[in-house]
Amino acid sequence: RARKNSSGYALDAWLASGDLVDLVVGAEGTLGVVTEVTWRLQPIPPARHTLRVALRALDDLGPAIEALHELNPSAIELLDGTFLRFVADQRPGGDADALAAVEALLLVELEGEDAESLRRDAARARVLLGDRAARIEDAASEEEAERLWAIRHAASPILAGLPDRQRSLQVIEDGAVPVPRLGEYVAGLRAISARHGIPAVLFGHAGDGHLHVNLLPDIGAAGWQDAIARIWEEAGALALGLGGTPAGEHGDGRLRAPLVPRLFGTRVVSLFEAVRAACDPHGIMNPGVKTGTTRPEFD
């Protein structure tokens, strides 16, 4: 029931369209090799308006996103409180300090043909959000928009420059759940992280209920691998229990392949295996990917 899913094979899309492209896209090299791609491009809209929305509570996350969908935004990005506090701790000052107490921050992009209609949409957004928003900032120029987005761009270099004993691991980084359940998903992941003593930084594509998670284990601590394995298991169960998928856009690979039967059930998985066997009877195309059953090991 998620808005985004890259798990399994897209049999439904293929059967609806009859176009083999719909089956090959997202198959992760298990059904064949793509040798040529033709792109169909769309023009970039000439006007853009950015909103940065600070939410009072996680419970407001799903309703706020659903309200904003009325405006057909081109992006709704989520910076969870874990992300905001991580940036503030690593690089204090300015926006980071001011936002560290916020539970969730939404970066909303509105695009269109003229600036005036986008200003009306931005005003409408304030009405739709009501008192769910603790603060709303907006930007009509590229310079102002870059200022609002700066905190999002600050995280990647910080994660890449962690001390030697700490790693940024993308193990449960692709879950997507129905938008109304996103607040529950964020709260559940926070609780799982705290229970196993592994810090986590959460952010993602809120408009699709899709969340990226960076786990930050101390690899010098005893038992960190076992803790990561338990987090993998519990986070997968959480996403599935909320009607979501463990693979929103990055695919199953070998990491999430064991969760595919739990998402689709054995009858659908048997169809996946039949399609795969028809395309790759010798099992030489990325073995273990998509239809593998081996539980991952973390070391």
Side-chain angles (χ1 to χ4, degrees):
R1 295 191 294 278
R3 287 169 59 95
K4 185 187 287 186
N5 175 51
S6 64
S7 188
Y9 293 122
L11 301 185
D12 51 348
W14 175 40
L15 292 171
S17 69
D19 190 338
L20 198 62
V21 169
D22 286 324
L23 180 63
V24 171
V25 169
E28 301 179 54
T30 61
L31 303 182
V33 178
V34 176
T35 60
E36 183 178 330
V37 174
T38 301
W39 295 101
R40 184 172 63 250
L41 302 179
Q42 293 184 333
I44 297 174
R48 180 169 75 132
H49 201 107
T50 303
L51 298 171
R52 192 166 73 175
V53 181
L55 296 179
R56 300 181 186 280
L58 279 182
D59 288 345
D60 293 327
L61 189 54
I65 296 166
E66 290 190 293
L68 289 168
H69 275 154
E70 178 184 311
L71 303 175
N72 194 29
S74 57
I76 308 177
E77 293 290 293
L78 166 68
L79 305 183
D80 177 57
T82 57
F83 180 103
L84 301 171
R85 288 183 278 278
F86 172 75
V87 173
D89 287 345
Q90 298 293 321
R91 292 188 184 174
D95 260 3
D97 285 348
L99 295 169
V102 172
E103 281 300 317
L105 192 72
L106 297 178
L107 291 161
V108 184
E109 289 285 350
L110 303 171
E111 294 180 333
E113 296 302 314
D114 65 276
E116 182 56 37
S117 65
L118 294 185
R119 278 193 287 272
R120 290 195 295 269
D121 285 346
R124 175 63 178 160
R126 293 176 180 273
V127 174
L128 292 171
L129 291 169
D131 59 5
R132 293 191 179 97
R135 184 168 71 257
I136 300 177
E137 303 167 80
D138 63 333
S141 70
E142 289 297 321
E143 294 77 14
E144 293 171 334
E146 285 302 313
R147 179 183 67 80
L148 296 186
W149 277 91
I151 191 167
R152 168 65 181 87
H153 301 319
S156 293
I158 295 174
L159 290 167
L162 291 170
D164 289 342
R165 281 178 59 100
Q166 197 169 35
R167 290 288 183 273
S168 174
L169 299 183
Q170 296 171 328
V171 172
I172 54 169
E173 88 297 350
D174 199 30
V177 299
V179 169
R181 313 298 297 273
L182 184 58
E184 295 174 70
Y185 187 49
V186 170
L189 289 174
R190 286 186 188 180
I192 292 169
S193 165
R195 185 159 58 247
H196 296 292
I198 303 290
V201 176
L202 285 65
F203 57 100
H205 314 303
D208 293 319
H210 182 213
L211 205 61
H212 297 312
V213 182
N214 286 65
L215 298 175
L216 307 176
D218 178 352
I219 61 172
W224 70 268
Q225 298 99 325
D226 291 338
I228 294 292
R230 290 192 293 272
I231 290 173
W232 175 87
E233 175 67 38
E234 293 177 21
L238 174 65
L240 294 170
L242 293 173
T245 170
E249 65 185 9
H250 295 173
D252 298 303
R254 293 180 179 85
L255 177 65
R256 285 177 280 272
L259 297 174
V260 171
R262 291 163 60 178
L263 174 60
F264 291 101
T266 56
R267 291 181 64 190
V268 173
V269 169
S270 69
L271 297 178
F272 292 165
E273 291 170 341
V275 168
R276 181 164 186 165
C279 295
D280 177 23
H282 301 295
I284 61 174
M285 305 293 291
N286 274 354
V289 171
K290 283 286 181 189
T291 56
T293 57
T294 303
R295 181 187 171 108
E297 295 183 5
F298 304 98
D299 54 29

